[in-house]
Amino acid sequence: MWVIVKTAGILCIMVASAVTGAELERRVKRRWLLLREMYETLLFLEKEMTYHRSPVREAFDYASKRCATELSGVLAQTAERIGQRTGEPFAQMWEESLAAQLPQGLFAREELELFRETSVALCGTDVVMQKTLLEKYADRFRTMSEREAEVCREKGGLYRKLTLAAGAFLVILLF
Amino acid sequence: MAMPEEIFYGIFARGIREILQKSGLDLSRLQEIRLRADRPLLLRYESLEYGVTPEGALTKRPECGVCVNSRELEETLEHVSGYSLYAFDEELKQGFLTIPGGHRVGVAGRLVMEDGRVRCIRHISYVNIRLSHQVKGCADSVMRYLVSGGQLCHTLVISPPRCGKTTLLRDMIRQISDGTPYLGGMTVGVVDERSELAGAYLGMPQNDLGLRTDVLEGGLKAESMMMLLRSMSPQVIAVDEIGGSEDCRALENVFHCGCRLIATVHGVSFEEIKKRPLLRGMLREQMFERYIVLEGDPAGSVREILDEQGQRLYRRRHAPQDRERICGS
């Protein structure tokens, strides 16, 4: 009986540590994927706006279909609100869509501020500066996503191994 | 097409929108709204200019009315363009864009030039929203004078600015296209350089130009006339505000192709436009068979209709002793 309980306990501890490691790795990877997708989306939108002159609602709808992360929801929700023509400022709609769709706690405050600031590039009255701003923000997201890719590579596997090791240590300690 | 109120007010920044909603304007009588950065908001309502107080009351002293700040102007431009000002790049180079309802939003600011051509406009600080009001039936009184021998006459509408010539032309096109008691429906090709006639928004005409009308919008008049002739086989070509030498050359081509022509020109009278070098030749050769002269009081009033020789066919009655209807066609 005692052996069965011990075995079950060991299994629970190892599974929990494996899941924790996988979750930490997934979180890091999720940040990287979102930042990379934001960079690619800004480049896509720049081309849609500059060359095809697609209205922003249409461009956002199209871009949201290409996205695999929560960014798809941000773009789709913003496009829907634009279509409702409620007369709200674009920055407000963008910010509210970000707050509703982006996962809580995934990004630091400064990083979220950068997401919000991109509204200036996505909708502005200076069409000459708009292209420049889109490129500038795309570049910033590219830098952030490359840094995050590095973190993912270094720490992703490390988190998994550390949590498994911690689980094993706990097992040894307890049993 | 009447613009639903909520869509109309939705194009303004929040602060301006609230004040305009308080004022309870009748949009069918509103002609223009002018926004200038750090200047009072001005309306042209029933042909008179007003400012608007913070309480929404109209005032004939604009300096007492609300001022528009630059942030509100930018926000208005965002709403006007559907948050896509870049998508109207080509129209902005001409100084305007068209919004749902066929209304025209003129802008002014700093032009960016490249190789002698307008590349774009930046720092937009002046916006003029001109509401388009289609008045169906305003051409009823002139249509019978435009038909002679079972054919539509080449017609030139002469009008000072803001006297309703575009509104009249629009209704003439509609009636020619749909048909009238005087003439059956005809295929009409419309050259709509500034999207004022059809008022197309994203390619969809907002005004009713008739069943048999094709519209070529946005391009230069001369080229557009030739394109319509080549591709759409119109029986009638309608063009607004002719004036340049290329326009006149294109008009001559239209005359010689067997198309009927309806055009408008800025001017105050037949005698005045006869003196213009570019039009003089066409008038001397009696290319136009009818001249409709408009006057501004009230807007759209037909002062007189003349034949190709300048003989008066109709004159507006100003007083009982002035009645001079010589003949009809």
Side-chain angles (χ1 to χ4, degrees):
Chain A
M1 184 65 185
W2 176 235
V3 171
I4 294 169
V5 169
K6 268 174 77 172
T7 310
I10 289 166
L11 277 172
C12 284
I13 289 168
M14 294 314 293
V15 165
S17 49
V19 164
T20 305
E23 182 58 31
L24 286 170
E25 187 188 8
R26 195 178 77 87
R27 184 190 153 89
V28 169
K29 199 170 177 188
R30 207 174 169 200
R31 278 174 55 90
W32 166 53
L33 287 173
L34 232 155
L35 289 169
R36 191 186 71 176
E37 196 153 75
M38 185 67 182
Y39 157 64
E40 289 170 352
T41 299
L42 286 174
L43 286 183
F44 172 79
L45 288 173
E46 189 232 323
K47 283 178 180 47
E48 277 295 306
M49 292 174 178
T50 308
Y51 297 113
H52 299 290
R53 302 270 191 257
S54 305
V56 75
R57 185 189 172 188
E58 200 178 294
F60 273 31
D61 269 336
Y62 197 17
S64 79
K65 292 182 173 71
R66 294 163 54 98
C67 290
T69 65
E70 289 86 351
L71 194 57
S72 172
V74 174
L75 295 166
Q77 185 172 328
T78 311
E80 191 187 333
R81 287 180 71 170
I82 289 170
Q84 287 165 359
R85 299 184 78 93
T86 51
E88 294 168 287
F90 178 85
Q92 181 184 330
M93 291 190 283
W94 178 251
E95 200 174 309
E96 287 171 6
S97 300
L98 284 171
Q101 300 289 334
L102 284 187
Q104 298 296 318
L106 189 62
F107 293 106
R109 195 167 48 182
E110 297 76 21
E111 290 163 335
L112 284 174
E113 192 52 40
L114 183 64
F115 275 95
R116 284 192 279 269
E117 273 177 21
T118 49
S119 65
V120 171
L122 293 167
C123 173
T125 53
D126 190 331
V127 296
V128 173
M129 280 306 292
Q130 191 171 17
K131 185 174 185 303
T132 308
L133 285 172
L134 280 168
E135 286 169 355
K136 174 193 151 193
Y137 280 101
D139 199 49
R140 285 181 73 174
F141 278 101
R142 181 185 58 81
T143 309
M144 285 169 66
S145 76
E146 282 171 358
R147 201 166 48 226
E148 218 46 47
E150 200 58 45
V151 165
C152 194
R153 261 193 303 274
E154 284 173 9
K155 295 188 180 167
L158 187 64
Y159 287 146
R160 231 181 322 112
K161 288 170 192 163
L162 276 176
T163 49
L164 280 172
F169 179 72
L170 197 60
V171 165
I172 293 166
L173 208 61
L174 290 174
F175 301 108
Chain B
M1 176 187 287
M3 192 178 200
E5 279 192 17
E6 59 274 13
I7 294 180
F8 171 70
Y9 289 127
I11 68 173
F12 294 98
R14 202 170 298 180
I16 299 172
R17 191 188 319 148
E18 284 164 3
I19 289 168
L20 289 175
Q21 281 171 327
K22 274 192 262 184
S23 67
L25 296 167
D26 180 354
L27 296 188
S28 63
R29 288 188 266 172
L30 181 62
Q31 286 138 349
E32 262 182 19
I33 297 183
R34 287 184 182 261
L35 310 177
R36 297 181 175 98
D38 300 326
R39 293 285 184 274
L41 173 70
L42 294 178
L43 309 180
R44 183 164 282 276
Y45 190 69
E46 294 181 323
S47 303
L48 293 173
E49 189 176 73
Y50 297 96
V52 189
T53 65
E55 294 76 35
L58 298 185
T59 169
K60 287 195 176 169
R61 296 181 60 203
E63 61 274 13
C64 300
V66 291
C67 276
V68 179
N69 62 48
S70 51
R71 181 59 216 142
E72 285 174 328
L73 202 109
E74 277 182 26
E75 203 180 310
T76 301
L77 282 170
E78 283 182 14
H79 298 321
V80 157
S81 63
Y83 310 99
S84 313
L85 202 62
Y86 58 86
F88 296 91
D89 204 28
E90 286 304 313
E91 286 156 291
L92 284 173
K93 286 179 192 175
Q94 297 179 56
F96 73 94
L97 47 91
T98 309
I99 60 175
H103 311 294
R104 198 168 69 163
V105 180
V107 298
R110 178 156 187 196
L111 290 178
V112 177
M113 304 297 289
E114 191 175 76
D115 298 331
R117 302 182 73 145
V118 176
R119 186 178 159 218
C120 66
I121 183 167
R122 298 179 72 183
H123 308 306
I124 295 171
S125 303
Y126 313 92
V127 171
N128 176 20
I129 300 164
R130 281 186 67 180
L131 277 77
S132 160
H133 298 294
Q134 178 164 23
V135 181
K136 288 190 178 180
C138 64
D140 286 351
S141 59
V142 305
M143 290 309 296
R144 62 182 156 143
Y145 295 101
L146 306 188
V147 179
S148 175
Q151 259 203 332
L152 183 69
C153 301
H154 296 296
T155 304
L156 183 66
V157 179
I158 303 164
S159 166
R162 282 195 189 155
C163 286
K165 66 174 170 8
T166 304
T167 306
L168 180 70
L169 178 64
R170 195 183 290 124
D171 201 49
M172 285 166 65
I173 292 167
R174 184 186 65 82
Q175 294 203 30
I176 292 167
S177 178
D178 286 344
T180 64
Y182 315 104
L183 200 66
M186 301 174 78
T187 306
V188 183
V190 175
V191 175
D192 198 4
E193 188 179 31
R194 290 179 303 183
S195 304
E196 284 187 300
L197 290 165
Y201 175 72
L202 297 179
M204 295 302 296
Q206 305 290 295
N207 293 317
D208 178 10
L209 292 184
L211 301 169
R212 300 174 181 85
T213 303
D214 307 307
V215 181
L216 197 53
E217 57 148 343
L220 296 173
K221 284 191 269 284
E223 286 174 28
S224 300
M225 278 190 260
M226 301 318 299
M227 281 177 71
L228 278 172
L229 277 176
R230 279 194 293 265
S231 61
M232 302 308 290
S233 307
Q235 293 168 294
V236 181
I237 283 193
V239 56
D240 201 10
E241 291 187 25
I242 57 168
S245 53
E246 292 87 6
D247 295 348
C248 294
R249 270 196 289 276
L251 287 177
E252 287 172 13
N253 283 327
V254 169
F255 282 124
H256 295 128
C257 284
C259 260
R260 314 311 289 175
L261 182 70
I262 310 285
T264 72
V265 69
H266 275 306
V268 294
S269 66
F270 177 64
E271 288 69 33
E272 188 247 320
I273 63 155
K274 265 196 326 189
K275 295 174 189 165
R276 293 199 199 160
L278 289 172
L279 295 173
R280 196 186 294 154
M282 284 196 290
L283 270 56
R284 192 170 46 234
E285 291 180 33
Q286 298 181 356
M287 282 182 173
F288 286 105
E289 294 159 320
R290 293 291 182 268
Y291 300 93
I292 302 174
V293 184
L294 301 186
E295 60 185 359
D297 183 26
S301 303
V302 176
R303 191 169 81 215
E304 56 187 1
I305 299 175
L306 310 170
D307 69 8
E308 62 270 14
Q309 291 163 348
Q311 297 296 315
R312 195 175 290 134
L313 301 174
Y314 168 78
R315 182 178 174 177
R316 183 182 166 208
R317 186 174 167 173
H318 291 278
Q321 61 271 22
D322 287 344
R323 180 117 190 165
E324 252 191 278
R325 180 170 296 176
I326 297 170
C327 64
S329 296

